[in-house]
Amino acid sequence: MKVIGILLIILGIVGIVMGLMMFGDIGVACLVGAFAAMLSGIGFIVVSVKIKRLA
């Protein structure tokens, strides 16, 4: 799960950079998707740490 979280954060960072280069609605959509990927990645890492504490 930690690997998935790290990959999602990297994807989010790349998406933010690409979204800042785009114009109009497409750029906004790219930024929203990138922020969602980053939040999902952070969530995966937090859950991974909590599961490891339980076990």
Side-chain angles (χ1 to χ4, degrees):
M1 286 181 78
K2 198 175 261 188
V3 173
I4 295 171
I6 292 170
L7 289 174
L8 281 169
I9 290 173
I10 292 170
L11 180 70
I13 291 170
V14 171
I16 288 172
V17 171
M18 291 180 67
L20 291 174
M21 289 189 277
M22 295 179 186
F23 297 106
D25 295 341
I26 301 297
V28 173
C30 186
L31 286 171
V32 169
F35 282 122
M38 283 190 64
L39 288 176
S40 296
I42 292 169
F44 268 99
I45 291 175
V46 168
V47 168
S48 174
V49 169
K50 288 187 178 184
I51 288 175
K52 191 174 260 188
R53 283 187 194 164
L54 289 176

